[in-house]
Amino acid sequence: PTAASTQKTPELSSAGCVSGRVLIEGEAPAPKGTSIKGNPECAVLHAGGNVLSEELLVKDGGLQNAFVYVKEGLEGSVFEAPKEPVTILNKSCVYAPHVAGAQVGQEVVFLNSDATLHNIHAYPKANKPFNLGLPLIGMKQTKKFTSAEVMVPLKCDVHPWMLGYVGILAHPYFAVTDALGNFEFKNLPAGEYSIEVWHEKLGVRSQKIKIEPQQDQKLDFKFKSP
């Protein structure tokens, strides 16, 4: 059989839910501040002209902005890209959200919410690099990624502290942790999987799990404080 004929849409009637937290052990350092007074158009948007780094945000032991996804176990399955786009804002001279996820073939909209010039300079390895200008408030550019890649860094050449990430996957089973480190993805078919969590400063952790039919599983990941 051809490769196309062996691919299948998975059966979801027996699917389960995976949820949990990404935690940090030890006292986390306070977020670093960067003076942006040399860019008055951005400095007025941040107290004291300092923008706080989002590379290590911790609350009640939970780690925000960690990207959790199914790394292995879905080979041979195909998933249609969602019709609704993922939107990443240039807002107050930072990327919002700082970490995002999208499927291969899904529209990713980059929208400038600031009354100043930004550009979206992407540095992928598996996808084609791009550099998009957004000179005016309300302007947007739309891209689609053609290959799975965890993660694609996004930078703004005009404002060098601006850094974001987008994870691209061929399936919908991924999540970005909230302020308390929580994550969840639903409708994961029964089977055996490798679940990985990526964090820009702390690296990766992975665990293997087995989902029985209609079973929900809790899964925690732990990083050590730097």
Side-chain angles (χ1 to χ4, degrees), residues 14-226:
S14 64
C17 170
V18 176
S19 63
R21 292 182 76 198
V22 179
L23 303 161
I24 191 160
E25 297 179 309
E27 192 67 31
K32 296 179 193 167
T34 299
S35 175
I36 58 173
K37 291 176 182 174
N39 297 86
E41 75 281 7
C42 295
V44 297
L45 304 171
H46 295 271
N50 284 302
V51 64
L52 292 179
S53 168
E54 295 182 86
E55 73 173 7
L56 190 64
L57 297 180
V58 178
K59 184 175 181 181
D60 294 342
L63 184 64
Q64 189 175 349
N65 288 327
F67 189 76
V68 189
Y69 68 103
V70 173
K71 184 175 184 179
E72 296 172 353
L74 292 166
E75 296 77 14
S77 297
V78 292
F79 299 87
E80 191 175 339
K83 298 285 189 288
E84 66 277 7
V86 171
T87 299
I88 299 174
L89 301 177
N90 294 149
K91 186 176 182 181
S92 300
C93 296
V94 296
Y95 282 105
H98 180 63
V99 176
Q103 275 183 246
V104 171
Q106 185 176 13
E107 288 189 345
V108 180
V109 175
F110 298 99
L111 174 62
N112 187 0
S113 297
D114 295 331
T116 189
L117 165 68
H118 292 300
N119 73 308
I120 313 289
H121 199 163
Y123 291 86
K125 292 178 179 168
N127 289 275
K128 190 175 179 182
F130 58 84
N131 192 352
L132 309 173
L134 294 172
L136 301 171
I137 188 169
M139 283 194 68
K140 62 184 180 182
Q141 298 260 22
T142 301
K143 295 294 288 186
K144 290 182 181 180
F145 293 85
T146 57
S147 300
E149 183 168 0
V150 178
M151 303 285 285
V152 178
L154 306 171
K155 296 182 181 180
C156 174
D157 300 321
V158 186
H159 307 105
W161 65 85
M162 285 182 66
L163 180 62
Y165 297 91
V166 58
I168 310 299
L169 291 168
H171 60 73
Y173 302 108
F174 57 85
V176 179
T177 55
D178 66 12
L180 293 171
N182 297 304
F183 70 90
E184 179 182 72
F185 33 82
K186 298 178 179 178
N187 293 321
L188 184 62
E192 296 185 21
Y193 301 97
S194 174
I195 312 292
E196 186 162 278
V197 55
W198 168 97
H199 185 265
E200 65 182 287
K201 186 171 180 65
L202 301 178
V204 298
R205 295 281 187 276
S206 61
Q207 294 186 47
K208 294 192 180 300
I209 63 166
K210 184 175 183 179
I211 302 282
E212 301 292 349
Q214 297 178 327
Q215 179 188 37
D216 294 343
Q217 283 228 23
K218 294 274 188 187
L219 201 61
D220 288 349
F221 293 87
K222 293 182 180 179
F223 288 94
K224 287 201 175 346
S225 180

